Structure formats: structure tokens, C-alpha cells
Amino acid sequence: MHLLLLLAALLGHAFVWVAMVNRVNAAAMPRWIVQLLTFIGGVALVCVPLGFGWWTLRAGVDLFGDFRLQLLPQSMLLYLGTCWAASVLTVGWWFWRYVLHQKPAVLRYHRRRTVRLGAAASPECDRPAHHFLVHLPGNEILHLDMSERAIEVPRLSAALDGLSIVHLSDLHFTGRVAKVYFEEIVRHVNETDPDLVAITGDLIDDSELIDWMPDTLGRLRSRYGVYSVLGNHDRRVDVKRLRRTLEDSGVVDLGGRWRTVEIRGEQVILAGNELPWFAPAADMDACPPRSEDGRPLRIVLTHSPDQLAWAQAYDVDLLLAGHTHGGQIRIPLIGPILSPTREGVRYASGVFHAPPTIMHVTRGVSGELPIRLNCPPEMSHLVLHWVAKG
């Protein structure tokens, strides 16, 4: 019994500090503060159990024998109680998510296939070689999951039935994953022949690689345009130059603004929300008002799924987000651990319905650290469907 209690406390301890790290990385704080608090969280994760073990040895407490809680200091008891409560909540949430929870009713189907991209770097790349981490056994960073999800959108008009959107996010141009990988993703997007392409932030980590944009995102094609917003990592580069290069490459910047696009004779509102890193979000109060039949459709691009409540408040139909990388490393049976949002791993990836808003969170196509385990990158192809009334 003592062993079970200790294991439960250890699980709760890990949950508490990982939850802190997730939420720190969701905030719009200076980068050095985020890094410092993340480091503190990592140290606490390792050192607190070691300190507890050291104290019990010094105090002569036999954790596996005739151990009584009364032997522990009050502060330690309080922390253990917190860890046990966190453990119960964690196990309960896991059971609900992976055993009891069903896919949202709006998700008609989900199909997927995996392709390996960029295995050999192109000789004309200015940084041709992949980083050695890319080649680690089991690393899925080059195994692109080409995912297709059919989503029923309640207020979609019949004229827009079958509207297709390719959703990309988290490209993280660092040079660690060679340019050829992203060129091949562009080729696959264009072969999909979408109506729209939406790119939801964290495009780049290295200013020198802004010059990659024309040969990568600048070659994306769709019937009604390619649109983007920026994410937290994009603050590390010359943002004005990045936005200008994207616009010059044919990518429409939706950061903090909205526009109407006519698709099949219907008006669709496309808007951008880059909060909390770039303010303000698009002024949705200035958008054309809805008619009695729910038109026009409202689609918002954002980086973080933390903007779901904002989308609900502004009556958004479809919110497209990234930022989480799906956890980037998923533990079998447990799932993602790290997900830098206020909700932790709740919205790590997939389709979520929080009426009136449907949110799609993609795992993204790369990462600052080029390692993915049990969590391949994703090119998401969304097909929107009209729902017959009555």
C-alpha cells in the first residue's frame, strides 16, 4: 500500500510541474522568463523526489515498513496531499479522454496515410543537411501524416458543401530540417488542390531563413488564396521583414485583421487572432452581421487553441490552431505530456466542438527541436460539409 501511495504521489508531482511548464509556455512573457521558469520546473520535477528520498534516509524513515504520515513535517504532508489530489485528477481525466470520450459528432470521418519526405537533402539548398537528431532511430520528424477530416459545420451553406482547406502550422524553419522537406510538403499541398490554405504560425526561428519563404510557402496554390498568422516563435525574427516577405510571396497576412472572400458566390469571413503574442486580434464586431440563415461563414486562424473562448464569444464557426505539436512526444497508453496551453493536453490535437465554434488543432509539420516520437508531423486536409436542416 505504501508503494502505491508513493507512486501516486510521484505521478501527481509530475503532473503539477508539467502543468506549470505548459502554462508558462502559453503566456506572452519575455523569452528569458519563459526559459527560466521552464528550467525551474524541470529542476523541481527531478530534484523534489530526490530531496524527499534524501530526507527520509537522514530521518531514518522506513517508507516500506511501519511508515506513518505523522512522521512527516506538515509542509511535506501538504505537498503530498496536493500530489495525491493531482494524481486522482490526472487518472480521472485520462480515463475520460481515452476510455469514455467519443469523437465529436461533427467529425464525419478521419482518414490518414503517412509519407516519408526529405530523406535526401537537395544539393541546391543553402543548408542542405538535416541535423543529426533527425536520423535518430524512431524519430518520426520526416514521416508526414497526410490527414483528411470531414467536418459537418452547422451553419455552412449548401453552396459551400465540400469546401476544402489545407491547414499547416509550426513549420519552424531552423535549418535543422532541410529546405527540401518543406518543398515536398508544398508539392503535396498543391496536389491536394484545396480551396484555401491556412497557416497558423511559428513559421521561423532563424532570420536568415526568411529567404526560404518564396521557394516554400510562396509556391503554395489554392483557388481562393493562401492565408497566415504568426506565432510566438516568429517574435524571434524581424517580424516586419517576415510579414513583408510573406506578402511578396503571395501569402495573405491575417494578423489582427479580417477580410471577406467570395467563394462559389457566397461571402466567407477570414480573420486572424495572434493573441497573446501580437495584439490586437481582428475586430470581429466590425464584420458583416449574420443573416437569419447564419451567413456569412466565419473562419479564424490563430496560433494557440487558448483562443477558443474568444472564438466562441465572437460567434466563430471554425477556428484553426496549432502551437501544441500534438505533444511532439507521446507516451504509449498515456498520450501527450507537454502541450504549451492553459488547458494543458486537453486540446493537444484533433477536432473539438464547443458550440458555436468547431476548433481544429493540427500537430504541425516540424518543430524547433527536430524530434517526434509516436507523434508524426501532420498536413491536415479539412473538408467542410453542409448539414441538412430538419
Side-chain angles (χ1 to χ4, degrees):
M1 184 63 180
H2 292 166
L3 180 59
L4 289 176
L5 286 174
L6 286 173
L7 288 175
L10 187 61
L11 174 65
H13 161 75
F15 174 77
V16 167
W17 288 101
V18 168
M20 186 277 281
V21 169
N22 281 336
R23 284 148 184 83
V24 163
N25 282 271
M29 295 185 289
R31 184 183 176 191
W32 71 268
I33 295 179
V34 172
Q35 290 177 322
L36 175 62
L37 293 177
T38 299
F39 175 76
I40 291 172
V43 169
L45 187 64
V46 175
C47 291
V48 169
L50 293 177
F52 178 77
W54 178 82
W55 180 89
T56 58
L57 287 175
R58 286 286 304 271
V61 176
D62 183 4
L63 293 175
F64 304 102
D66 185 23
F67 169 62
R68 296 185 302 277
L69 291 175
Q70 292 87 340
L71 298 174
L72 300 178
Q74 188 172 3
S75 58
M76 198 174 289
L77 277 174
L78 180 61
Y79 186 71
L80 277 175
T82 301
C83 291
W84 282 325
S87 179
V88 170
L89 291 173
T90 303
V91 171
W93 180 87
W94 179 91
F95 188 78
W96 174 82
R97 180 178 177 87
Y98 293 103
V99 179
L100 300 180
H101 186 60
Q102 298 179 343
K103 69 177 184 179
V106 296
L107 182 60
R108 183 178 293 184
Y109 65 75
H110 177 199
R111 300 168 182 159
R112 52 185 296 192
R113 64 186 180 92
T114 301
V115 296
R116 181 169 169 78
L117 303 182
S122 172
E124 64 269 14
C125 290
D126 43 1
R127 295 190 184 184
H130 295 305
H131 192 276
F132 78 91
L133 290 174
V134 170
H135 304 291
L136 288 178
N139 190 0
E140 298 176 306
I141 191 68
L142 301 181
H143 295 259
L144 185 69
D145 184 352
M146 299 183 64
S147 176
E148 180 179 326
R149 292 180 173 93
I151 301 173
E152 296 180 348
V153 181
R155 291 183 293 199
L156 189 75
S157 68
L160 294 178
D161 184 56
L163 180 71
S164 65
I165 304 171
V166 167
H167 180 192
L168 302 175
S169 193
D170 299 274
L171 288 87
H172 289 282
F173 287 176
T174 62
R176 299 187 184 105
V177 176
K179 183 180 177 183
V180 63
Y181 170 76
F182 302 101
E183 291 173 333
E184 291 187 27
I185 288 176
V186 168
R187 178 172 59 82
H188 281 286
V189 171
N190 291 343
E191 287 176 354
T192 302
D193 193 27
D195 293 311
L196 297 166
V197 175
I199 308 166
T200 54
D202 274 6
L203 310 182
I204 190 164
D205 293 75
D206 184 342
S207 288
E208 292 182 15
L209 302 184
I210 291 178
D211 293 336
W212 281 15
M213 293 299 169
D215 292 334
T216 54
L217 302 187
R219 294 185 177 178
L220 288 168
R221 297 291 178 265
S222 69
R223 293 181 185 84
Y224 301 100
V226 179
Y227 303 86
S228 73
V229 293
L230 302 185
N232 54 308
H233 280 245
D234 299 312
R235 296 197 302 172
R236 301 178 183 182
V237 304
D238 184 338
V239 173
K240 290 183 178 179
R241 180 186 166 205
L242 174 58
R243 291 192 193 274
R244 184 172 62 250
T245 303
L246 286 169
E247 289 279 3
D248 291 344
S249 300
V251 179
V252 180
D253 179 17
L254 286 179
R257 66 192 73 177
W258 61 268
R259 63 163 53 197
T260 58
V261 179
E262 185 171 325
I263 302 176
R264 303 178 193 172
E266 296 280 336
Q267 294 296 312
V268 175
I269 296 173
L270 301 176
N273 175 337
E274 296 174 330
L275 296 175
W277 299 287
F278 299 95
D283 181 7
M284 302 302 288
D285 288 329
C287 290
R290 288 194 186 271
S291 61
E292 291 184 2
D293 58 6
R295 302 175 187 176
L297 184 75
R298 293 185 173 192
I299 299 174
V300 172
L301 280 60
T302 189
H303 185 55
S304 172
D306 283 338
Q307 300 308 312
L308 176 58
W310 175 92
Q312 290 176 287
Y314 286 102
D315 202 24
V316 171
D317 295 287
L318 180 64
L319 182 69
L320 304 177
H323 186 49
T324 65
H325 301 193
Q328 195 156 331
I329 296 174
R330 294 191 178 204
I331 300 174
L333 300 180
I334 295 176
I337 300 296
L338 294 174
S339 179
T341 74
R342 293 195 301 264
E343 298 287 344
V345 299
R346 180 179 181 185
Y347 298 128
S349 64
V351 175
F352 306 90
H353 190 199
T357 303
I358 297 169
M359 178 170 69
H360 178 260
V361 183
T362 180
R363 296 193 301 272
V365 300
S366 191
E368 180 182 15
L369 183 67
I371 294 178
R372 281 180 176 261
L373 301 176
N374 198 31
C375 186
E378 178 179 43
M379 183 194 98
S380 303
H381 180 208
L382 310 179
V383 182
L384 309 187
H385 289 285
W386 169 69
V387 181
K389 304 298 190 294

